[in-house]
Amino acid sequence: MKPAARPPTELRQAIAELRPQLVRATWFSFAIGLLILAPSGYMLEVYERVVNSRSHNTLAMLTVLVLGAFIVMEVLDWARGELLREAGARFDARLSGRTFESLFQANLKRIPGGTLQPMNDLRTVRDFVGSPAVTAMMESPTGLVMLVLVFAVNPLLGWAAVVGALLQTLVAWMTERSTSKPLSQANRAAIGAQQYADGSLRNAQVIESMGMLRDIHRRWQIKQREFLGLQAQASEAAGGFQAVSRLIQQLLASLLLG
């Protein structure tokens, strides 16, 4: 007999409920990505039609069209932001009560982990739903359309764009590989420092009466410095790869223009 399927967790259910908003936001992102081509099309039409014909009516109509495209793009961007904000608020409403109840029960039973850190983690996930990283992922399919258009202009330029994309992917992978471990350690150190501070505050009167404040403060500073050191290590590694990524972008842009 096949083992019974495990029921989905509350977190998975909460994420699944966001699918309608995320799907609509993805379609809006695709439309926004296509409308970004409006300025390029406008300039091509101006140099091809307006300059040769010297027609002010053609220039006026093209200007009206590109302005309309800009307005639609901004409206879609606003609508996408509202959808993602609504999705984040819905996610928070779905889990915030359950998280607070679990923290309260953990504190009553003196279970480790009954701190405010899960609430902070929930807020981080909620804010991530509407972050630029999510919108960038939603706009990534438009990059394929752009690549097809570049190949249509010139296959050599298309292959140059492919090579640039592969190099950017390689840099992103190397950045993730070099920063994931120190960032994970920094996150654990930050949580440990926060839990240590919370525990000290709960016993503030006992610590003060026993004259242990200086030692408690010193130990907390050690934990805090460990967190800051790991975070700085990850930032230094990411900064170097970001410089390489910007260099590749500039070289690729110059190559395509040339």
Side-chain angles (χ1 to χ4, degrees), residues 12 23 52 54 72 109 117 129 137 173 175 233 235 245:
R12 185 178 295 273
V23 170
N52 293 330
R54 299 182 183 278
V72 173
K109 299 176 182 179
Q117 186 60 40
V129 173
M137 288 188 293
W173 176 77
T175 303
Q233 179 182 347
S235 298
S245 178

Side-chain angles (χ1 to χ4, degrees), residues 102-103 106-107 110-118 195:
S102 299
L103 293 178
N107 273 287
R110 299 294 181 181
I111 298 177
T115 66
L116 293 178
Q117 186 60 40
Q195 292 177 346

Side-chain angles (χ1 to χ4, degrees), residues 166-201:
L166 292 176
L167 288 175
Q168 291 282 38
T169 303
L170 177 62
V171 171
W173 176 77
M174 294 176 66
T175 303
E176 173 65 21
R177 184 178 180 182
S178 63
T179 59
S180 60
K181 184 176 180 179
L183 282 178
S184 178
Q185 293 175 345
N187 186 48
R188 288 196 295 267
I191 293 175
Q194 181 66 37
Q195 292 177 346
Y196 186 80
D198 291 340
S200 300
L201 291 175

Side-chain angles (χ1 to χ4, degrees), residues 24 84-85 120 139 158 197 219 246:
R24 289 198 295 270
L84 294 178
R85 183 196 59 79
N120 296 332
E139 293 175 356
R219 291 179 182 177
R246 287 193 296 267

Side-chain angles (χ1 to χ4, degrees), residues 205-257:
Q205 294 181 351
V206 176
I207 292 173
E208 177 67 20
S209 63
M210 298 181 66
M212 298 172 59
L213 179 59
R214 181 173 298 178
D215 292 335
I216 294 294
H217 182 258
R218 179 175 54 81
R219 291 179 182 177
W220 177 83
Q221 283 186 322
I222 293 174
K223 295 179 178 293
Q224 189 72 1
R225 280 196 293 267
E226 179 185 3
F227 154 66
L228 294 175
L230 291 169
Q231 192 178 56
Q233 179 182 347
S235 298
E236 290 174 0
F241 286 113
Q242 286 177 358
V244 174
S245 178
R246 287 193 296 267
L247 176 62
I248 294 174
Q249 290 177 359
Q250 293 174 357
L251 293 176
L252 184 61
S254 300
L255 177 63
L256 294 179
L257 290 175

